[in-house]
Amino acid sequence: MVIYKKLSPFYNLALFYFIVSFLLRIVLFFHPITQSSFSILESLKIFSLGLISDFFVFIIASVFLWLYLIFISNSKYNKPSGYIILGFLAALFIYVASGKSILDEYGGALPRIVLIFIGIKMALFSLLLFLPTLRDEIRYWLFAFVMFLYVLLILQNGLSEYFFWNEFGVKYNFIAVNYLIYTNEVIGNIMQSYPVIPIFSGLFLVTGIVTYFILKGSKKYIDEIPTFNEKIKISGIYIVLFLISLVAIPAFAKTENSKNVFVNELQANGLYKFYLAFQNNKLDYFKFYKTLPSEKAYSLLKQQFPAISGENTHRIISSDSLENHKNVVLITIESYSAEFMKMYGNKQNITPFLDSLAQKSVQFTNLYAAGNRTVRGLEAVTLCLPPTAGESVVKREDNKNKFSTGSIFKDKGYNVKFMYGGDAFFDNMQDFYSGNGYEIIDKSSFTPEEITFSNVWGVCDEDMYNKAIKVMNTEAKENKPFFNHIMTVSNHRPFTYPNNKIDIPGDIKSRDGGVKYTDYALRKFFAMASKQPWFKNTMFVIVADHCASSAGKTQLPLDKYRIPAFIYNTDLKPTKYNQLMSQIDLMPTLFGLLHFSYESKFFGQDVLKPDYKPRAFIATYQDLGLIKDNILTILSPKQQVRQFQLNLETKEGVAPEYQIDYNEKCMKTERTDLVNETISFYQTASDMLKKKKYQK
């Protein structure tokens, strides 16, 4: 048989993919939201270069089809190879089913998914091994299923691109990536917004019909399975095209350079745009959110910072007291909600040490996390600016040489370090902190003797604190103050930690256990630190990175953003600060307590100053919120603005300053001043990052 006939599964699917992509471009070309006219040259560019891009993207996307096809054979079912392969699959199944595999360290549904996959693979292999007379028929239906799945995915992607364009007028961007993260909300929205049953019924019907015709033209591949030499030729052709595609796809993406945005979007391949969304991690505020004229936005910002001038936040912070260069240890605690603490109403006594330490500290009882992921918390305490749309600055390409808390300390002669018990490459922390002048201490810095317990996230908090004490003892001998930012890891799924430390065993994997062990490790850290000569000369700043959960009944549920925060030093008088504040205000407030004078670009403010105006920022990847005057204002893509009146729902037995539950009632009458103020904050922060005005 001629070799091209052996490639029939590829080119039949490719032809179908090109037809779907072409029809999709036609539909989007004439869609009402595509408010543009195109010249003949622009039209040719859209359809010709778009088709070429589709070809190369299909090559990459068909890698799983290639792997499936080249492993189709009869020889692997011969004795003894067939029994060896089946034995290996059975052993792998038992290993994963034991509950002690490496997959169980990740928790969640991953072990179950892998177990199901291996189980199905083992069952199908057994059928093909022990029922040789039915092997051809079983293989045909497996082949049909694979082709059905590819056809379904092609059609599903076409529909998704259409609905996404219908919403936003662009191909996939970071909002599409975000949709994968907030699966429950997205599925609920789809169920309520579209006639799902008719759509999917039609989708499966069309998929079945198309698969039938593709099978007719492709089944010769399994009727006459290619020889080993033919598979080598097929693989050679595919690998060459695959490598060319890796170069060609980004090259053709660079031709999307028209001044007409719709030309670029229609020419682009949606799947590649989706991939780029993962890489770029940001939403263009000015394209998707409500804006003000730049002059007005900065004019409103000046009302918050009277000392600024022009389109920036640069100002001089002056103190009338002598600067106090105490050491500073900032501890950001993983997933630590206010509701875990006794003062906020928790009755389980899972944070006894932090409950007691808070009473000896400067407490900030009404503080809100900027976001719902670790990188947002790190961004908030490091850069002290509102959470801009899309991914955190920590994970963006342009994340270096920013104006940061670390740069302030460096200017004051401090040693500056970021300490993390896991691999700092995770979430781009290594790139971000090293790019902003921090020295990194992470798991790779530990000797084997320094690690008593670790899981997938890194060493346990006790090991991290033991290491931190060693590092700080060394630093204290250098006659320079130190600033060390420690990020904890133990209060994270799978919630495993050393046994026999607390009354909740570490192998139970419970959230309460993770919280209680985190508290226990902090108590041990403070017990060790209190014996060191540098202890009394050190300010300890303790704050959560974000809450344990962000899901709620509303877009931005306030109770899911309330976090504990306090500053401890033996010389500080224990007090409570009960005014509304943001996570981005914590470090500027610390600088005030140290009487630092410095040039600032921070959006965060010293909340202890008399001119501070209470407000807080909370956000997801796409919803940007401002809390002020008991009103929550939310900016969303498509220039949407919503406002909610916040009504406190009092919890019995909890002091007023620790109440965290609010009913969010949608407002019918807009508070325009708060809308403009919200826009001002987020627009100017986005503008400064985009124009590189937030550099050191």
Side-chain angles (χ1 to χ4, degrees), residues 613-648:
K613 301 180 179 68
R615 72 337 166 226
F617 304 96
I618 60 174
T620 64
Y621 288 96
Q622 59 182 357
D623 293 320
L624 311 175
L626 175 74
I627 309 168
K628 187 173 182 180
D629 296 345
N630 283 319
I631 291 174
L632 170 62
T633 304
I634 301 176
L635 309 178
S636 299
K638 297 197 299 182
Q639 291 78 40
Q640 288 187 352
V641 178
R642 294 181 183 178
Q643 287 186 305
F644 299 87
Q645 182 69 49
L646 304 176
N647 300 308
L648 187 65

Side-chain angles (χ1 to χ4, degrees), residues 592-607:
L593 290 171
L594 293 171
H595 306 297
F596 278 7
S597 294
Y598 59 100
E599 294 184 38
S600 178
K601 292 185 179 181
F602 293 143
F603 282 74
Q605 302 175 60
D606 180 352
V607 301

Side-chain angles (χ1 to χ4, degrees), residues 92-115 455-457 492-496 506-509:
L92 193 60
F93 182 85
I94 293 169
Y95 169 67
V96 176
S98 69
K100 298 180 179 179
S101 72
I102 191 172
L103 299 170
D104 291 282
E105 292 295 317
Y106 289 87
L110 181 62
R112 187 178 302 173
I113 292 170
V114 173
L115 187 67
N455 61 18
V456 67
W457 293 110
H492 195 296
R493 191 176 299 279
F495 306 117
T496 56
D507 46 18
I508 287 181
K509 302 179 181 179

Side-chain angles (χ1 to χ4, degrees), residues 380-423:
V381 296
T382 304
L383 301 183
C384 306
L385 85 168
T388 49
E391 188 56 275
S392 163
V393 175
V394 175
K395 296 187 72 173
R396 297 182 192 176
E397 185 177 349
D398 178 25
N399 65 0
K400 299 174 182 63
N401 298 314
K402 300 297 181 190
F403 187 81
S404 68
T405 53
S407 66
I408 298 294
F409 282 115
K410 279 218 160 194
D411 288 344
K412 301 295 182 183
Y414 282 66
N415 285 324
V416 175
K417 290 183 175 67
F418 174 71
M419 301 184 181
Y420 179 61
D423 184 345

Side-chain angles (χ1 to χ4, degrees), residues 410-636:
K410 279 218 160 194
D411 288 344
K412 301 295 182 183
Y414 282 66
N415 285 324
V416 175
K417 290 183 175 67
F418 174 71
M419 301 184 181
Y420 179 61
D423 184 345
F425 281 100
F426 178 74
D427 263 351
N428 213 40
M429 290 183 282
Q430 170 87 35
D431 185 59
F432 173 71
Y433 279 106
S434 62
N436 285 285
Y438 288 68
E439 182 184 340
I440 308 294
I441 304 291
D442 70 352
K443 188 178 180 180
S444 65
S445 308
F446 286 66
T447 64
E449 295 75 24
E450 291 175 322
I451 302 175
T452 64
F453 181 92
S454 66
N455 61 18
V456 67
W457 293 110
V459 303
C460 64
D461 286 355
E462 284 178 274
D463 291 346
M464 180 69 255
Y465 292 137
N466 289 335
K467 181 73 169 180
I469 293 288
K470 289 181 182 179
V471 171
M472 288 186 276
N473 283 341
T474 301
E475 288 179 312
K477 297 174 183 178
E478 298 179 17
N479 294 319
K480 289 178 66 177
F482 56 75
F483 166 59
N484 292 323
H485 180 174
I486 302 173
M487 178 70 222
T488 75
V489 301
S490 290
N491 189 33
H492 195 296
R493 191 176 299 279
F495 306 117
T496 56
Y497 46 85
N499 280 320
N500 304 315
K501 301 290 184 176
I502 58 173
D503 56 5
I504 304 174
D507 46 18
I508 287 181
K509 302 179 181 179
S510 74
R511 163 72 73 179
D512 288 349
V515 173
K516 196 164 188 176
Y517 174 74
T518 295
D519 185 82
Y520 166 85
L522 268 167
R523 179 173 66 80
K524 286 197 67 177
F525 171 66
F526 271 83
M528 288 187 293
S530 65
K531 298 174 183 177
Q532 310 307 320
W534 45 262
F535 179 74
K536 290 185 177 180
N537 193 43
T538 301
M539 304 279 273
F540 294 90
V541 184
I542 300 176
V543 64
D545 61 344
H546 58 83
C547 279
S549 169
S550 61
K553 297 179 181 179
T554 56
Q555 279 178 279
L556 297 175
L558 265 63
D559 61 311
K560 303 301 184 181
Y561 286 83
R562 188 78 164 266
I563 56 173
F566 36 90
I567 299 174
Y568 173 81
N569 178 260
T570 54
D571 294 337
L572 282 179
K573 180 182 178 181
T575 56
K576 290 182 185 178
Y577 180 81
N578 300 325
Q579 293 295 312
L580 175 68
M581 63 182 289
S582 173
Q583 198 174 23
I584 73 172
D585 301 316
L586 188 60
M587 295 307 287
T589 302
L590 172 75
F591 293 148
L593 290 171
L594 293 171
H595 306 297
F596 278 7
S597 294
Y598 59 100
E599 294 184 38
S600 178
K601 292 185 179 181
F602 293 143
F603 282 74
Q605 302 175 60
D606 180 352
V607 301
L608 301 179
K609 291 286 181 66
D611 59 348
Y612 169 69
K613 301 180 179 68
R615 72 337 166 226
F617 304 96
I618 60 174
T620 64
Y621 288 96
Q622 59 182 357
D623 293 320
L624 311 175
L626 175 74
I627 309 168
K628 187 173 182 180
D629 296 345
N630 283 319
I631 291 174
L632 170 62
T633 304
I634 301 176
L635 309 178
S636 299

